[in-house]
Amino acid sequence: MAKTPKSAKSDRQAVIDDIRKKQKGAEKRRGFAIVGACLLVALLIVGAAAWGPIKDSLDAGEYDDVPLADIGAPASVCADPVTESAEGSGDHVDEAQQVTYDHSPPAFGAHWNALGSPAPFERKFYTAEDRPELESLVHNSEHGYNIVWYDETIADDDEAVDHLRAFAAKFEGTSNYRSKFIVAPWTKDDDKAHGGEFPEGQHVAMTHWSVGGAGETDPTKQVGVWQYCSEPSGEALEEFVKTYPYTDSPEPTVQ
């Protein structure tokens, strides 16, 4: 029996409704898939960002029970310390002023003196992305900090950076001024703006602003101290911080 026009129309509508229903279902599934993919990408990005600091902490933690002197290379990778007179170099300048330094890196010199201009005592390790300005770090030097600087060759060496992070971990804390210590990068931009590259073959520099010995008050005795190394040496660093403690500085009692 032939269908009536009304019945045929109803059947066509049912087919159309079914197609639309399937299309809506497919679109919904595609929407869920897109949202899921976006969430997955977001989680991967967040996870990657979080993993970096976690990995850094785990890598440094490998050396928790290792004495400082046993981390990194032996002291023989370092040249003998060198000094230069720092007399009359402690000018305080406005924070808006950029200082040009003659040494790579600076151990003394003009620096910012605004409240909070030294890098914070609790922070011991910096990368090129978050390092304070040199004018701040020189202010730290005035207050007795020993600073270990590393160039881009070291920055690209994961094992060497792990050693530097382990160095920094040995000086954690803010209750003891013996922990006045910072690890900071020296970049190619610093080379261009200041004293040039480290000496040939050297990629690490330890610096200190000395008054000529703890308690010395004669300003003519002030010197900057540099010890360059081809790679990080905990053995050399241990000797350096013993020879040049925070008390041997222009303002040792200030953080």
Side-chain angles (χ1 to χ4, degrees):
M1 178 179 178
K3 292 184 178 181
T4 65
K6 183 177 181 180
S7 176
K9 183 177 179 181
S10 177
D11 288 346
R12 286 196 301 272
Q13 186 62 49
V15 171
I16 292 170
D17 290 343
D18 184 57
I19 292 171
R20 286 175 175 170
K21 183 178 180 180
K22 290 178 179 177
Q23 287 176 334
K24 286 182 179 180
E27 289 172 358
K28 186 180 289 186
R29 287 192 296 274
R30 281 196 298 271
F32 286 144
I34 292 171
V35 171
C38 290
L39 287 173
L40 178 60
V41 170
L43 288 172
L44 288 172
I45 292 173
V46 172
W51 173 243
I54 292 172
K55 181 180 182 300
D56 292 340
S57 178
L58 290 173
D59 289 342
E62 292 180 10
Y63 298 95
D64 285 349
D65 298 323
V66 180
L68 175 60
D70 293 341
I71 300 173
S76 58
V77 303
C78 300
D80 292 335
V82 295
T83 63
E84 182 172 318
S85 175
E87 181 183 1
S89 65
D91 291 343
H92 293 153
V93 299
D94 187 84
E95 197 163 349
Q97 181 177 339
Q98 295 289 313
V99 179
T100 298
Y101 295 101
D102 296 330
H103 302 91
S104 303
F108 60 84
H111 53 277
W112 292 340
N113 197 40
L115 181 64
S117 71
F121 192 8
E122 63 271 15
R123 184 73 184 272
K124 310 295 183 179
F125 183 92
Y126 292 95
T127 66
E129 286 70 37
D130 59 13
R131 190 201 74 186
E133 296 292 335
L134 295 179
E135 293 84 357
S136 288
L137 292 175
V138 173
H139 197 170
N140 287 91
S141 296
E142 184 186 41
H143 292 171
Y145 284 72
N146 285 302
I147 302 180
V148 174
W149 306 79
Y150 62 99
D151 71 5
E152 294 184 5
T153 296
I154 296 295
D156 291 336
D157 184 332
D158 291 342
E159 184 178 20
V161 172
D162 288 346
H163 292 158
L164 291 173
R165 289 186 181 278
F167 292 173
K170 297 298 182 183
F171 295 88
E172 286 181 351
T174 58
S175 60
N176 191 328
Y177 278 11
R178 292 189 186 92
S179 297
K180 285 186 170 185
F181 178 81
I182 289 173
V183 177
W186 183 260
T187 69
K188 282 185 168 43
D189 288 340
D190 296 322
D191 288 342
K192 295 173 184 176
H194 301 285
E197 299 178 356
F198 289 179
E200 185 176 357
Q202 309 296 348
H203 305 290
V204 174
M206 297 182 286
T207 63
H208 186 83
W209 187 340
S210 167
V211 291
E216 179 60 65
T217 58
D218 182 353
T220 66
K221 301 249 182 104
Q222 289 194 22
V223 296
V225 185
W226 292 263
Q227 186 169 17
Y228 292 96
C229 309
S230 59
E231 55 186 299
S233 169
E235 184 178 21
L237 175 59
E238 183 173 78
E239 182 62 26
F240 190 87
V241 299
K242 286 179 181 177
T243 304
Y244 304 104
Y246 80 93
T247 51
D248 177 22
S249 65
E251 295 186 21
T253 60
V254 183
Q255 281 193 1

